[in-house]
Amino acid sequence: MDFEKEMNKLREIAEKMSRGELSLEQSMKLYTEAVELTKKLGDYIENAKLTVEQLEAK
């Protein structure tokens, strides 16, 4: 996973949604994508955190 690429996607979604120019259907699609990206990024951060903790414990 390319963390920075996924974060940029999330930023783009936030920008599009904040403009208020999307239909409800488009907004719901982007919202769903944003939720999935947020979970994916959160998992990535959590795994990175665990890796660092494991390395520090050695």
Side-chain angles (χ1 to χ4, degrees), residues 46-58:
E46 196 59 38
N47 286 333
K49 185 177 167 182
L50 289 173
T51 299
V52 169
E53 288 172 356
Q54 290 172 348
L55 291 170
E56 288 177 345
K58 290 183 178 184

Side-chain angles (χ1 to χ4, degrees), residues 8-20 30 34:
N8 284 334
K9 261 195 229 181
L10 191 57
R11 282 188 197 103
E12 288 173 11
I13 290 171
E15 288 173 8
K16 285 179 185 177
M17 292 184 74
S18 69
R19 288 186 212 128
L30 287 176

Side-chain angles (χ1 to χ4, degrees), residues 22-33:
L22 302 172
S23 68
L24 179 58
E25 185 177 320
Q26 291 169 319
S27 293
M28 291 303 297
K29 182 179 177 185
L30 287 176
Y31 178 77
T32 301
E33 186 177 349

